[in-house]
Amino acid sequence: MWYLVIVGLVVVIWLVADRPVLKMTFKNGHIKTEKGHCPPSFQRELKHIAEHDHLNGSLKVYQLRTGMKLVFSKNIPKNVQQHIRNVFPHQGFKSKGKKRA
């Protein structure tokens, strides 16, 4: 009986835990996969940065109550992470649901 409860709990945590708004993976300086909505201007800047720095890794964007959170893989250097944060359009992403005043 307890194993059913534990399996159910693991499935619920797995479904809720990792839900990025945008996920992109880079390989050899090109965007390999893209899931979610990416504004065209940000995508253009990412292509330029990826080609210039020959990126390998991934980028995830999460929607938080305080704003957007960018999570990079360990393969992306700190200076390139900062460059991507500088060109990230915080107003280009629409939040899901209604905001109340």
Side-chain angles (χ1 to χ4, degrees), residues 24-33 46-47 50 55-59 72 76 84:
M24 301 181 92
T25 56
F26 304 97
K27 188 164 187 174
N28 297 327
H30 297 288
I31 298 175
K32 180 120 174 134
T33 59
L46 276 179
K47 283 182 183 178
L55 287 183
N56 287 319
S58 64
L59 162 69
F72 299 93
I76 300 178
I84 293 172

Side-chain angles (χ1 to χ4, degrees), residues 46-88:
L46 276 179
K47 283 182 183 178
H48 182 270
I49 293 169
E51 290 172 357
H52 182 265
D53 296 316
H54 302 290
L55 287 183
N56 287 319
S58 64
L59 162 69
K60 293 180 183 178
V61 179
Y62 291 97
Q63 174 78 39
L64 302 176
R65 289 182 184 211
T66 58
M68 302 304 245
K69 178 181 178 185
L70 279 72
V71 178
F72 299 93
S73 65
K74 293 183 180 182
N75 300 349
I76 300 178
K78 296 292 183 185
N79 61 345
V80 177
Q81 290 180 15
Q82 186 60 48
H83 191 178
I84 293 172
R85 282 189 179 98
N86 290 344
V87 298
F88 183 74

Side-chain angles (χ1 to χ4, degrees), residues 85-101:
R85 282 189 179 98
N86 290 344
V87 298
F88 183 74
H90 293 278
Q91 289 79 22
F93 285 89
K94 305 277 190 277
S95 64
K96 296 177 183 176
K98 299 177 182 176
K99 288 191 175 182
R100 297 182 183 184

Side-chain angles (χ1 to χ4, degrees), residues 1-10:
M1 179 66 181
W2 283 102
Y3 69 90
L4 289 176
V5 173
I6 292 172
V7 170
L9 185 62
V10 168

